[in-house]
């Protein structure tokens, strides 16, 4: 039995050794947007405080995996998946910088990899996945999502990381 609830998905097709087409169920993120740092770690504490009881009901919310991030050249949005028991009834955040965002059910292409949380590592696997999307029957419908499954104290060689894009098949 896993220690933390993990966002639910169904593998539709294994494309390569580390690329899969998945269908994710609808889920919710508690997230915040901050200035981007090189370790993709800014904003974590604001969202952690939300699940630690900094919300209108003062309720502690179980940790889940993965931590999901999106970024621009200057900003990082970091989010925790809201446990499924809340569905669309998660406690409202007390901190105005934390929002609850709904991610609709859909198809996503994913690439799984291990290693450090660095821009160069994320960009390397992002490039592989984007190349796969461009050369196969898929069209990207989103910017990249970075998924991190382990805490920072886990040695990078043991960290499970993924990049996913919402896609549609174009055949």
């Amino acid at each position: 039995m896993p220690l933390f609830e993990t966002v639910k998905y169904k593998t539709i097709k294994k494309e390569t050794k580390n690329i899969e087409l998945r269908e994710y169920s609808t889920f919710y993120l508690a997230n915040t947007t901050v200035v981007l740092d090189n370790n993709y770690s800014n904003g974590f504490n604001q969202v952690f405080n939300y699940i630690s009881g900094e919300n209108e009901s003062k309720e502690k919310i179980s940790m889940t995996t993965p931590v999901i991030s999106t970024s621009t050249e200057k900003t990082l949005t970091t989010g925790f998946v809201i446990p499924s028991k809340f569905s669309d009834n998660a406690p409202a955040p007390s901190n105005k910088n934390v929002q609850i965002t709904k991610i609709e059910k859909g198809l996503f292409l994913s690439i799984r990899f291990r290693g450090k949380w660095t821009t160069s590592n994320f960009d390397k696997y992002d490039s592989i996945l984007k190349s796969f999307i461009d050369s196969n029957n898929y069209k990207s419908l989103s910017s990249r999502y970075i998924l991190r499954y382990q805490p920072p104290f886990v040695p990078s060689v043991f960290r499970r990381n993924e990049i996913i894009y919402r896609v549609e098949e174009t055949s």
Side-chain angles (χ1 to χ4, degrees):
M1 179 177 205
L3 185 58
F4 300 110
E5 180 179 339
T6 299
V7 67
K8 298 192 181 359
Y9 66 84
K10 179 171 91 174
T11 301
I12 304 297
K13 187 186 323 179
K14 189 134 178 92
E15 296 282 7
T16 69
K17 180 179 131 189
N18 61 344
I19 297 176
E20 294 179 341
L21 177 63
R22 299 174 176 170
E23 180 181 76
Y24 279 81
S25 301
T26 297
F27 63 94
Y28 295 83
L29 291 174
N31 57 47
T32 190
T33 301
V34 295
V35 174
L36 179 64
D37 72 332
N38 288 336
N39 294 320
Y40 286 74
S41 60
N42 283 4
F44 181 91
N45 287 338
Q46 290 182 50
V47 185
F48 184 77
N49 289 342
Y50 166 77
I51 68 167
S52 297
E54 195 175 288
N55 54 64
E56 285 187 354
S57 63
K58 308 267 188 263
E59 183 174 355
K60 290 190 177 189
I61 299 170
S62 299
M63 184 70 170
T64 59
T65 63
V67 173
I68 300 178
S69 302
T70 59
S71 62
T72 67
E73 283 185 26
K74 296 181 181 183
T75 64
L76 174 71
T77 300
T78 300
F80 288 1
V81 177
I82 302 290
S84 58
K85 75 174 190 171
F86 289 103
S87 182
D88 59 355
N89 297 318
S94 300
N95 181 338
K96 65 179 169 70
N97 295 325
V98 176
Q99 299 83 37
I100 305 298
T101 304
K102 182 178 185 178
I103 307 296
E104 296 286 350
K105 176 181 178 177
L107 291 178
F108 292 80
L109 268 175
S110 71
I111 186 166
R112 183 183 292 201
F113 57 98
R114 302 220 177 265
K116 294 183 178 184
W117 298 337
T118 61
T119 302
S120 63
N121 202 29
F122 293 141
D123 288 348
K124 172 185 170 184
Y125 288 97
D126 185 52
S127 178
I128 293 168
L129 185 57
K130 286 195 308 194
S131 177
F132 182 87
I133 291 168
D134 291 343
S135 60
N136 289 277
N137 295 326
Y138 296 104
K139 177 182 175 188
S140 177
L141 302 176
S142 71
S143 57
R144 77 176 177 187
Y145 293 89
I146 297 169
L147 286 64
R148 294 173 286 169
Y149 287 83
Q150 281 80 30
F153 59 79
V154 170
S156 58
V157 70
F158 298 115
R159 292 181 189 166
R160 173 184 171 188
N161 306 305
E162 296 176 344
I163 292 174
I164 65 173
Y165 283 89
R166 182 181 291 273
V167 296
E168 67 182 11
E169 294 182 274
T170 59
S171 40

